[in-house]
Amino acid sequence: MSWFTTLLIKDESITIDSRLYDDDYMFKHWNEDNPDYEFKRRPDRTNLLPIDRQPTLYIVARKGERIVAYAGLIDDGSHYKCAGARVHPEFRKGGTFGRLMDARNSKIGSKPAIVFLNTQSMPIETFVSKIERYGWETRDFDVSKVNNPDLKKVAQQYLDAYGNFMVYND
């Protein structure tokens, strides 16, 4: 766990599962646990690029049996694409997001990864600052500063479609 996450933890009863869950599991269980905050399967999300509508595996955080947060990963062989992170509003500001980021970074290991930023809960600048604390870099949203050729292709698509990207282990 990063030093920064350690400072933020306010609810020790929230745990991070050691296994990964697929879209179908998340659709069923997240929506049962959180009917006020709907989960949609990634392949069904038409607002995403086709490269981001692939089936996804999710790291989950629980309070008891209830899923209260998740972070997704798509393994593209040579690299990972991050597929969203979401914390139910009841459980924000307690270190849950940081614990998910630590768990996702641990799963990523030394493999390169990329994410585009999409947040409705805070200004984008705040979100960038938050993710930078966990080793992610914007590279000034400049594709020419991305070293890995596979990440560079995805970065260009993200920049064109979403206006931003961040990389890890590049």
Side-chain angles (χ1 to χ4, degrees):
M1 187 176 308
S2 69
W3 67 270
F4 189 78
T5 301
T6 305
L7 293 176
L8 294 174
I9 294 176
K10 293 181 182 156
D11 189 342
E12 294 288 339
S13 67
I14 293 177
T15 59
I16 305 293
D17 282 9
S18 59
R19 65 173 282 208
L20 299 175
Y21 298 91
D22 65 16
D23 279 302
D24 291 336
Y25 179 92
M26 291 300 297
F27 181 77
K28 179 180 188 305
H29 294 280
W30 176 273
N31 289 336
E32 284 174 1
D33 291 347
N34 305 289
D36 59 324
Y37 205 51
E38 183 184 21
F39 174 89
K40 294 180 182 172
R41 289 179 182 94
R42 231 161 149 84
D44 299 335
R45 297 183 199 175
T46 57
N47 63 314
L48 298 175
L49 290 173
I51 63 168
D52 291 317
R53 286 191 233 142
Q54 300 167 348
T56 303
L57 294 176
Y58 295 90
I59 300 163
V60 302
R62 296 180 189 271
K63 171 108 177 164
E65 293 298 313
R66 179 183 177 191
I67 298 173
V68 299
Y70 64 82
L73 276 174
I74 298 170
D75 188 343
D76 264 357
S78 67
H79 64 280
Y80 282 107
K81 290 189 304 235
C82 291
R86 188 181 208 188
V87 179
H88 191 282
E90 287 177 50
F91 300 94
R92 291 184 183 156
K93 299 189 188 277
T96 303
F97 178 79
R99 292 169 72 191
L100 282 172
M101 288 296 293
D102 286 342
R104 184 159 63 183
N105 286 356
S106 178
K107 174 66 179 156
I108 289 168
S110 61
K111 203 179 218 185
I114 190 164
V115 65
F116 72 88
L117 305 174
N118 176 21
T119 179
Q120 297 173 353
S121 61
M122 66 187 76
I124 195 77
E125 298 81 16
T126 305
F127 198 47
V128 166
S129 174
K130 193 172 197 171
I131 294 181
E132 284 176 330
R133 295 175 196 150
Y134 298 96
W136 290 77
E137 302 174 73
T138 64
R139 302 286 165 92
D140 301 318
F141 304 134
D142 182 346
V143 174
S144 70
K145 294 180 179 178
V146 176
N147 300 312
N148 181 289
D150 293 328
L151 286 188
K152 191 175 281 215
K153 290 176 196 169
V154 177
Q156 186 62 59
Q157 291 178 49
Y158 283 178
L159 193 61
D160 293 345
Y162 308 120
N164 65 62
F165 65 88
M166 291 182 84
V167 295
Y168 185 74
N169 290 335
D170 176 50

